[in-house]
Amino acid sequence: MFRYVARSAAGKHLLRRGYATESAPDRKVAVLGAAGGIGQPLALLMKLNPLVSRLALYDIANTPGVAADVSHVNTRSEVTGYVGEDQLGQALEGCDVVIIPAGVPRKPGMTRDDLFNINAGIVKGLCAAIAKYCPNALVNMISNPVNSTVPIAAEVFKKAGTYDEKKLFGVTTLDVVRAKTFYAGKAKVNVADVNVPVVGGHAGITILPLFSQATPKANLPEDDIKALTKRTQDGGTEVVEAKAGKGSATLSMAYAGAIFADACLKGLNGVPNVVECSFVQSTVTELPFFASKVRLGKNGVEEVLGLGPLSDYEKEGLEKLKPELKASIEKGINFANQI
């Protein structure tokens, strides 16, 4: 029997979320990009999750050291490090969940197109390997721009004949985490009790927090709602500026990625009513992909939930985000279909 004993506030929070389990089925999780700024803390957080029995850490360099370090943590999962493309297949074989934080951060002198082309190429290659070695795994896409990398993954899987829209997720959980934190601070309520759906996409104005649906209800004035919305949309920039150009939101992203992966594992294990926001194939709007609340289950997506009632401000935000999100989705599809 495995028992996870929480010694820290963070550990107790994980227990509160239902992280701990006494008899969980074997589950293999891979982190692709495990030696990076998001990948390392994400690897540690997944090692703390007792729903994971095997943890595969993959990157193009430095993974043996990360794996050795994380493997010393006294929790259930066995950790193995894989380095280089020739070991990618081994990392992926038998995976139930694959988390992809791989990619490069934007560097001085690099245009957004430069960054897109590099990261899109990385994602395309990794997804081709997933299609070959673990076509039934749930894929959690963290690599930015998520609004484009999820459509890229879908196209790669379609070409390989393995695409299942129920098993591909863009991880937008950080937007939800930020919205909860900022709302709790402004409303002066306990953040652990807060819930805020965030819909749309995962960049700038495509991020639409639905504060009108936030619980507990606080009846904040419109000016506060607008300021909270903008802060949620600009959360990544806030961190980049605070780090003075020497990093981005790696730690909070790793936390958000671990929360979403945990939800996926719970769904696979048959825990009922697991609901998280995610960027998935959708008919909620006219766009082919859209983030909204999703019920997770044994096959991945059990149900894509609707938007619910929107305030006038949110309806306006929804219409404003659609052209930008549509362009990002098309950019990803076009990239994936280049020869």
Side-chain angles (χ1 to χ4, degrees):
M1 182 181 81
F2 179 86
R3 188 157 174 264
Y4 178 66
V5 181
R7 298 291 183 197
S8 64
K12 285 172 185 169
H13 173 66
L14 297 180
L15 277 177
R16 267 206 312 277
R17 286 189 54 89
Y19 237 45
T21 180
E22 291 191 355
S23 57
D26 287 346
R27 295 291 181 198
K28 181 179 176 183
V29 174
V31 178
L32 308 185
I38 298 167
Q40 290 199 40
L42 179 56
L44 175 60
L45 290 167
M46 295 316 296
K47 179 70 172 109
L48 293 177
N49 189 329
L51 300 181
V52 181
S53 56
R54 288 185 292 158
L55 183 59
L57 305 180
Y58 171 82
D59 215 319
I60 56 171
N62 303 322
T63 9
V66 175
D69 195 356
V70 170
S71 73
H72 292 179
V73 174
N74 60 321
T75 56
R76 177 191 182 196
S77 54
E78 292 179 8
V79 181
T80 310
Y82 300 91
V83 63
E85 284 187 32
D86 57 331
Q87 293 184 12
L88 178 55
Q90 290 171 268
L92 292 172
E93 278 172 348
C95 275
D96 297 286
V97 177
V98 179
I99 314 171
I100 310 179
V104 299
R106 193 172 171 191
K107 294 168 186 162
M110 188 185 280
T111 68
R112 288 190 184 278
D113 277 343
D114 292 337
L115 183 67
F116 172 85
N117 288 328
I118 294 167
N119 285 351
I122 291 168
V123 164
K124 193 173 178 181
L126 292 174
C127 288
I130 290 167
K132 183 175 180 181
Y133 294 104
C134 57
N136 296 314
L138 303 191
V139 177
N140 293 1
M141 185 68 69
I142 292 174
S143 303
N144 273 321
V146 165
N147 293 351
S148 299
T149 54
V150 168
I152 288 169
E155 292 301 307
V156 171
F157 295 150
K158 284 174 187 174
K159 282 184 183 172
T162 64
Y163 182 54
D164 183 346
E165 69 272 14
K166 294 180 178 180
K167 295 185 174 181
L168 176 60
F169 303 89
V171 179
T172 60
T173 314
L174 182 52
D175 303 323
V176 177
V177 165
R178 286 174 172 149
K180 287 179 178 181
T181 301
F182 303 156
Y183 178 85
K186 184 60 75 173
K188 295 181 171 49
V189 293
N190 183 350
V191 71
D193 299 328
V194 169
N195 200 9
V196 183
V198 182
V199 304
H202 185 55
I205 67 160
T206 70
I207 300 165
L208 183 62
L210 303 182
F211 288 114
S212 70
Q213 297 178 25
T215 55
K217 204 148 186 64
N219 295 315
L220 296 173
E222 179 107 343
D223 285 352
D224 284 352
I225 296 297
K226 287 181 178 177
L228 287 171
T229 299
K230 180 149 181 52
R231 191 178 178 201
T232 304
Q233 291 171 339
D234 295 343
T237 303
E238 184 178 315
V239 175
V240 168
E241 288 176 355
K243 290 187 175 182
K246 293 182 179 172
S248 58
T250 52
L251 302 174
S252 52
M253 183 63 248
Y255 167 76
I259 292 294
F260 188 74
D262 177 59
C264 287
L265 289 164
K266 283 188 190 142
L268 286 174
N269 290 351
V271 175
N273 298 316
V274 179
V275 176
E276 293 286 343
C277 292
S278 183
F279 186 66
V280 296
Q281 183 173 311
S282 173
T283 56
V284 165
T285 70
E286 64 272 25
L287 300 175
F289 295 91
F290 200 81
S292 65
K293 288 196 284 189
V294 173
R295 182 174 290 110
L296 300 165
K298 291 185 176 181
N299 298 305
V301 175
E302 290 293 319
E303 183 183 7
V304 178
L305 303 172
L307 299 180
L310 305 183
S311 68
D312 288 344
Y313 176 66
E314 290 160 358
K315 286 176 184 171
E316 186 184 318
L318 178 61
E319 293 313 309
K320 277 185 183 170
L321 74 80
K322 284 179 181 176
E324 186 166 320
L325 184 51
K326 183 172 186 278
S328 296
I329 292 168
E330 288 174 352
K331 187 174 184 180
I333 292 170
N334 291 338
F335 179 89
N337 290 321
Q338 289 172 8
I339 294 171

